[in-house]
Amino acid sequence: MKKIIVTGGAGFIGGNFVHYMLKKYSDYKIICLDCLTYAGNLETLEIVLDNPNFRFVKADITDREAVFKLFEEEHPDMVVNFAAESHVDRSIENPGIFLKTNILGTQTLMDACRRFGIERYHQVSTDEVYGDLPLDRPDLFFTEETPIHTSSPYSASKASADLLVGAYYRTYGLPVTISRCSNNYGPYHFPEKLIPLMIINALHNKPLPAYGKGENVRDWLYVEDHCKAIDLIIHKGTVGEVYNIGGHNEKTNIEIVKIILKELGKSEELITYVTDRKGHDLRYAIDPTKIHNELGWLPETKFEDGIKKTIRWYLNNKGWWEKIISGEYKNYYEKMYVDK
Ligand code: NAD
Ligand code: TYD
């Protein structure tokens, strides 16, 4: 039996990863370490809370004592670090918490790995560490050799963490890997991000706020394909290496918004152009050749299918996001753990 600590497992991608791993490996123990910030929602994990192969621990990755205590109790074989402040707009308003969680939290986890020993520490990073590409050069893509060149406090904090992970590999020989993925979409995506926000606003016939001219390009990947890539990297990837993950699925924001409106049978008149994001990255586009050649990874879900599945999920799981919008989800932990 392998034991994996998954940090940030009550969030969007971490939650999907927990479900994916528990389903795939019946002999693994998955320990979710998450402090349940506004973006963490225990209801995302509701269906596995009673699974004997799963444990939830409410703790902050920057809390050295709590992290070391958990390592002492569990002696994990691997750590996959999803925990982060992840929203660019929030990082523009309040960078401090991004630096604390994303950089110092990474340090704390790696210090615990050094202290107790680990088979693999995996850092879940982002394509945003490469900055952006111009809109008029569709021939350009981010490779693992593209220089780090960040735009937002969020991407700067993620890039700093990546550099620290590289330093722990070189200096202490910590067995690390890093993945840099493009924008994800799918179930359990927090409704402040583009796709869930637009789905929910459209359902409520509320304005759909497109930043600037809506012409910025993102490279969208279905979240399960990201989970599969991380699974491959932690089991078969080479220690010390960085792997880019993306599915060559570039779309402008306005294309995304129009696809959602069409699927829901709503009018494009709901689209409202609003003030652009400060420092707004123009285009992200991943070259996934390395992970394809070395590990055989390819995205499996086509965008046309993935977006339909995602919209259906939001329609069938109104309870999940309505509680988030009302703020009620924050009481769930108290109900599940504290009041018992
Ligand atoms: P998210 O905001 O949905 O979830 C983050 C989770 O981390 C939440 O459950 C939150 O409670 C937890 N967390 C935050 N601070 C913590 C702390 N100090 N201690 C413990 N837990 C803490 O984020 P996401 O979209 O699922 O992203 C997960 C990871 O993937 C992040 O590292 C992000 O940078 C990276 N990533 C995201 C995308 C994307 O499109 N969403 C793309 C590439 C990479
Ligand atoms: P987001 O989901 O915040 O992801 P990221 O900034 O990490 O790529 O935003 C995706 C794109 O959508 C980005 O170009 C900003 C844009 N956007 C809007 O136009 N309106 C919105 O309300 C939001 C949240 C994002």
Side-chain angles (χ1 to χ4, degrees):
M1 172 176 268
K2 270 200 197 304
K3 279 191 189 178
I4 306 184
I5 291 186
V6 175
T7 69
F12 165 44
I13 310 175
N16 277 282
F17 186 72
V18 166
H19 293 304
Y20 177 81
M21 295 299 279
L22 284 171
K23 228 179 263 169
K24 179 160 176 193
Y25 300 99
S26 55
D27 56 340
Y28 279 24
K29 180 169 180 190
I30 305 293
I31 302 129
C32 170
L33 170 64
D34 196 304
C35 71
L36 301 178
T37 66
Y38 79 94
N41 183 359
L42 210 50
E43 286 194 52
T44 296
L45 298 171
E46 191 174 16
I47 52 176
V48 296
L49 288 177
D50 291 333
N51 185 326
N53 290 349
F54 179 74
R55 178 180 173 199
F56 178 79
V57 178
K58 185 175 186 293
D60 193 312
I61 59 165
T62 65
D63 180 344
R64 190 163 281 263
E65 210 180 303
V67 169
F68 276 55
K69 181 170 167 276
L70 181 63
F71 272 70
E72 198 162 19
E73 283 167 17
E74 296 285 357
H75 287 279
D77 300 289
M78 296 187 187
V79 172
V80 182
N81 181 25
F82 291 93
E85 288 292 335
S86 69
H87 192 39
V88 173
D89 292 332
R90 286 179 188 256
S91 81
I92 294 168
E93 296 306 313
N94 178 19
I97 184 70
F98 284 72
L99 307 192
K100 182 172 182 241
T101 293
N102 299 1
I103 307 172
L104 298 180
T106 299
Q107 182 212 352
T108 307
L109 290 169
M110 290 194 298
D111 283 345
C113 291
R114 284 187 61 213
R115 164 81 177 73
F116 293 93
I118 200 88
E119 198 177 293
R120 181 68 63 85
Y121 173 86
H122 183 73
Q123 178 73 1
V124 180
S125 185
T126 163
D127 60 356
E128 301 193 27
V129 302
Y130 299 122
D132 63 352
L133 297 163
L135 292 175
D136 60 356
R137 288 293 306 274
D139 55 314
L140 296 180
F141 296 92
F142 297 137
T143 72
E144 290 79 1
E145 274 69 51
T146 301
I148 300 276
H149 184 80
T150 56
S151 315
S152 70
Y154 162 68
S155 55
S157 69
K158 293 294 291 184
S160 305
D162 283 12
L163 294 177
L164 200 60
V165 173
Y168 271 55
Y169 168 64
R170 167 89 186 246
T171 307
Y172 307 116
L174 195 73
V176 304
T177 37
I178 296 177
S179 54
R180 295 182 179 145
C181 191
S182 59
N183 286 62
N184 285 214
Y185 69 101
Y188 304 114
H189 204 176
F190 196 81
E192 69 184 350
K193 303 284 173 68
L194 181 77
I195 288 184
L197 181 101
M198 296 299 173
I199 295 173
I200 291 169
N201 279 16
L203 287 173
H204 289 139
N205 297 310
K206 277 171 54 179
L208 270 49
Y211 296 167
K213 294 184 188 143
E215 64 188 6
N216 303 60
V217 172
R218 298 292 183 264
D219 181 358
W220 294 95
L221 183 74
Y222 193 63
V223 62
E224 194 180 26
D225 281 323
H226 187 186
C227 295
K228 287 179 181 168
I230 294 174
D231 178 24
L232 274 175
I233 295 168
I234 60 177
H235 289 100
K236 300 201 175 115
T238 306
V239 163
E241 291 291 309
V242 172
Y243 293 90
N244 283 355
I245 309 170
H248 283 303
N249 179 52
E250 292 175 48
K251 300 251 181 286
T252 63
N253 293 337
I254 210 68
E255 278 178 286
I256 295 282
V257 172
K258 287 183 178 172
I259 291 169
I260 292 171
L261 286 170
K262 190 157 178 252
E263 274 306 314
L264 291 172
K266 300 282 181 173
S267 162
E268 289 187 6
E269 283 175 13
L270 288 173
I271 299 171
T272 318
Y273 292 91
V274 300
T275 310
D276 210 352
R277 174 185 279 171
K278 291 189 184 86
H280 198 170
D281 279 337
L282 293 171
R283 172 177 167 247
Y284 303 142
I286 283 277
D287 175 353
T289 307
K290 178 174 172 178
I291 189 165
H292 174 61
N293 287 348
E294 288 186 17
L295 305 179
W297 178 87
L298 273 178
E300 290 168 29
T301 300
K302 287 199 200 93
F303 187 75
E304 303 81 75
D305 301 329
I307 194 72
K308 283 198 182 90
K309 269 207 269 191
T310 303
I311 292 174
R312 217 178 304 129
W313 188 88
Y314 279 86
L315 287 171
N316 292 336
N317 292 275
K318 282 191 178 158
W320 182 86
W321 54 263
E322 278 170 350
K323 278 185 214 142
I324 290 179
I325 289 172
S326 72
E328 200 194 313
Y329 76 109
K330 290 189 185 134
N331 304 328
Y332 189 81
Y333 177 80
E334 314 295 319
K335 206 171 72 212
M336 289 301 291
Y337 284 88
V338 182
D339 295 346
K340 268 189 180 167

